[in-house]
Amino acid sequence: MTFSIIVVCLNAGEKLRETIDSILDQTWQDYEIIIKDGGSTEEVTRKYLDGYANAHDAAYGRSETESAAKLQVYSSRDTGIYDAMNQAVRYVRGDYVLFLNCGDSFYDERVLEQTAERIREQSRGTGCLVTDSGNASIPEMPRRIFYGNIYERQTGTQVQSNPVINDFACYRNVPCHQACFYETALLQEKPFDTAYAVRADYEHFLWCYYRAHVRTVYMPIIVALYEGGGFSETKENERRSRREHREIVKRYMPAAKVLRYRLIMALTLAPLRTWIARNPVTAGLYQRMKKMLYHTGK
């Protein structure tokens, strides 16, 4: 089982090294790293990109480390983060893909090992389907997304993902892409819609759920250390995010259901809860309460 870890980069400096090091430290060694650079010119970033590219070339030509051979660097112009992610998917050879932004990192060195264990557990005991001729066929498995939690550096808090994905969970929010391992075919069949500058990953997750009928599998582990404060969290992009959210849910949900969920969010003071979740003083208590509610099935 091979994991493809995609890192999108543009003048990221030391953050690039931090992210790559967290991947190279993984105990599970069946992985590849794909760095998609958008044309970095900053000196520190170029030093790291050139070093990674040279190490990769040397590993195939001489006796360098196995880790270096796993790392590929591709540089080309792109129109933004989602276009860069789409371009990177073209080079994927693994079974599952995870996108790890520069500045983010794996929570610990066993993330890939623990994920592989859960994928194997889910793949056991599936049984066989029977064809029209009455002969047993190869088991038919629904495509899957395995996801976990993240740890948010800005608030110093574990952010709990919903262990059950349903309509309301899809409306409120879905696990961020740093916590999601996608079966590669899902990304090859449908790229991210670059018409959405902030919420293309949200739109893609809803497509997976409603159109591709994926099986979502929650893993009770922390996948990534999330830096936060990035592109999607500026004031302008928060407003754009709300607009894109309205457009996307209309694409996948009936109007009556959207109206009902919007009313529920208003009555439960969603903006206030968002503020509490982002405040370093209150975020920990909020996430603990959310975890309790999830585990009681509410």
Side-chain angles (χ1 to χ4, degrees):
M1 182 191 312
T2 303
F3 295 102
S4 296
I5 314 301
I6 292 176
V7 179
V8 171
C9 169
L10 181 63
N11 295 325
E14 291 292 339
K15 292 181 180 181
L16 174 62
R17 179 192 58 79
E18 178 183 332
T19 299
I20 298 301
D21 284 352
S22 81
I23 306 171
L24 295 175
D25 287 342
Q26 291 296 296
T27 56
W28 181 269
Q29 288 295 298
D30 194 358
Y31 66 83
E32 63 175 359
I33 305 171
I34 298 172
I35 301 176
K36 166 59 184 70
D37 173 55
S40 295
T41 56
E42 187 267 332
E43 182 178 356
V44 173
T45 307
R46 288 300 334 161
K47 179 187 73 173
Y48 285 127
L49 290 171
D50 293 341
Y52 292 139
N54 291 337
H56 175 269
D57 292 342
Y60 279 103
R62 297 191 297 277
S63 56
E64 294 290 335
T65 66
E66 183 181 353
S67 293
K70 300 175 184 291
L71 203 156
Q72 307 162 59
V73 179
Y74 300 97
S75 294
S76 59
R77 295 292 180 182
D78 54 65
T79 60
I81 184 170
Y82 294 113
D83 182 34
M85 290 159 73
N86 285 339
Q87 290 184 34
V89 169
R90 299 171 191 166
Y91 303 106
V92 164
R93 294 172 296 180
D95 304 299
Y96 287 86
V97 177
L98 180 129
F99 298 94
L100 204 58
N101 293 354
C102 284
D104 301 330
S105 59
F106 280 126
Y107 183 70
D108 61 37
E109 70 278 2
R110 293 191 64 240
V111 170
L112 293 184
E113 180 183 342
Q114 291 174 310
T115 301
E117 289 172 1
R118 282 160 175 79
I119 293 173
R120 284 199 299 264
E121 289 170 2
Q122 284 287 320
S123 299
R124 294 192 191 106
T126 57
C128 291
L129 296 178
V130 177
T131 65
D132 292 337
S133 63
N135 297 321
S137 67
I138 296 173
E140 183 177 311
M141 288 289 294
R143 288 176 291 184
R144 297 171 294 182
I145 297 174
F146 289 81
Y147 68 98
N149 308 312
I150 62 169
Y151 188 91
E152 196 172 59
R153 291 182 178 179
Q154 284 195 330
T155 60
T157 305
Q158 175 184 327
V159 178
Q160 175 69 39
S161 293
N162 194 333
V164 178
I165 301 297
N166 52 28
D167 284 347
F168 191 38
C170 284
Y171 179 86
R172 284 185 300 176
N173 212 349
V174 298
C176 67
H177 63 251
Q178 292 93 331
C180 293
F181 291 85
Y182 299 84
E183 284 200 17
T184 300
L186 292 167
L187 297 160
Q188 293 172 335
E189 181 177 342
K190 183 185 184 302
F192 294 103
D193 187 341
T194 56
Y196 297 111
V198 181
R199 284 212 174 232
D201 52 345
Y202 175 69
E203 189 276 334
H204 189 276
F205 194 99
L206 264 58
W207 175 85
C208 290
Y209 185 79
Y210 289 106
R211 302 288 190 266
H213 306 293
V214 301
R215 175 181 295 172
T216 55
V217 182
Y218 171 70
M219 305 181 296
I221 64 171
I222 303 176
V223 174
L225 285 167
Y226 174 64
E227 181 182 36
F231 172 76
S232 64
E233 296 179 23
T234 65
K235 291 291 185 181
E236 177 185 351
N237 284 328
E238 284 184 350
R239 290 191 292 269
R240 182 180 296 176
S241 176
R242 290 191 290 271
R243 291 196 303 270
E244 292 184 359
H245 180 273
R246 289 194 293 269
E247 292 179 19
I248 293 166
V249 295
K250 287 180 181 178
R251 177 184 294 188
Y252 292 100
M253 299 181 186
K257 186 171 288 187
V258 171
L259 182 60
R260 182 167 78 250
Y261 291 158
R262 190 174 297 161
L263 179 61
I264 292 172
M265 296 293 282
L267 292 175
T268 56
L269 305 176
L272 176 60
R273 288 188 287 108
T274 298
W275 181 85
I276 293 171
R278 291 182 177 179
N279 188 310
V281 177
T282 56
L285 176 61
Y286 177 82
Q287 292 298 332
R288 286 193 294 273
M289 292 176 63
K290 188 169 73 168
K291 185 175 182 179
M292 288 174 58
L293 289 172
Y294 285 154
H295 283 285
T296 55
K298 296 181 180 178

